[in-house]
Amino acid sequence: MALPLHNLASHLITFFILVSFFAIPARGKTHNFVKSLDRKTLQIGKEKISHFRVYWHDIISGPSPTSVPIVKPYSNISSTFFGSIEMIDNPLTEGPDVKSKLFGRAQGFYGSAGQENLSLLMSMNFVFCEGKYNGSTITVMGRNEVFTKVREMPVIGGSGLFRFARGYVQASTHTFDLKTGDAVVMYNVYVMHY
C-alpha cells in the first residue's frame, strides 16, 4: 500500500529537519579540529637530507651505567633474555672512544622481543647537544637483530631542526665486551628534514 503524497512529503520534511538539526553544531562550539596550513606559517623551507655518524655507548658495567634493567627476562633459561627491558641514556660520540667529543645522548629503552634469536625492539630519541642541532631530536624505533652485521631501523620523527623528520639508521657493532656486556655501536643516520 502506497503512502498518500501529502504524507510522504510530511515525512520527508520531518526527515530533513532532523538531519539538519543534528548537522548544525551547537552555538559557540566548533567541530573543525583540522585545518590546512601554509608552509610559510610553520616556517618550513626546502626539504634536505643529512647524514650523521655517531657512536652509541651502551655501558652496563661499572659505577655509572648508562643502561639499566627495568624488567627482568621472562625466564632465566632464555638465551635471548626474552622479555627483558633496559632503560638507556647512552652517550653519542664522534668516535668509538667514550671520551671522544659528545654529540648527544640516546634516551629511551630497548627490550628483547625475540624468543629464538636476540632481536631487540629499540625505542629511543637521539638528543643532540652540539652546534646548531643543540636541543633537536631524532626518534628511532624498530627491530634490531643484534648479531646481524648491519641492522636497519626507521627514523619515525623528530623535533627542533628535525621536525617532520623521516629516514633510517644503520647500526653496526664496533665492539662488544662479553665479560661486561658493554657495547659500542656505530650508527649511520640518514634523515630527511626541513
Side-chain angles (χ1 to χ4, degrees), residues 4 12 18-19 39 56 61 69 92-96 122 137 145 154 165 177 183-185:
L12 285 174
L18 286 173
V19 167
R39 294 166 76 93
W56 181 90
S61 67
L92 297 172
T93 62
E94 180 178 37
M122 309 288 292
T137 66
E145 191 172 342
D177 188 325
V184 178
V185 178

Side-chain angles (χ1 to χ4, degrees), residues 1 5 30 49 80 88 90 96 102 107 112-113 116 120 131 142 157-158 160-161 174 176 187:
M1 178 172 171
L5 192 55
T30 179
I49 186 165
T80 66
I88 62 169
N90 291 348
L102 183 72
Q107 297 175 332
S112 180
E116 297 188 13
L120 304 176
L161 292 178
H174 183 269
F176 177 68
Y187 274 83

Side-chain angles (χ1 to χ4, degrees), residues 3 19 31 38 62-63 68 81 86 91 117 129 139 146-147 155-157 159 163 169 189:
L3 285 174
V19 167
H31 296 285
D38 184 9
V68 296
F81 305 103
E86 301 277 326
N117 59 9
C129 64
T139 303
V146 175
F147 294 116
V155 170
I156 61 169
S159 68
R163 288 182 191 134
V169 299
V189 181

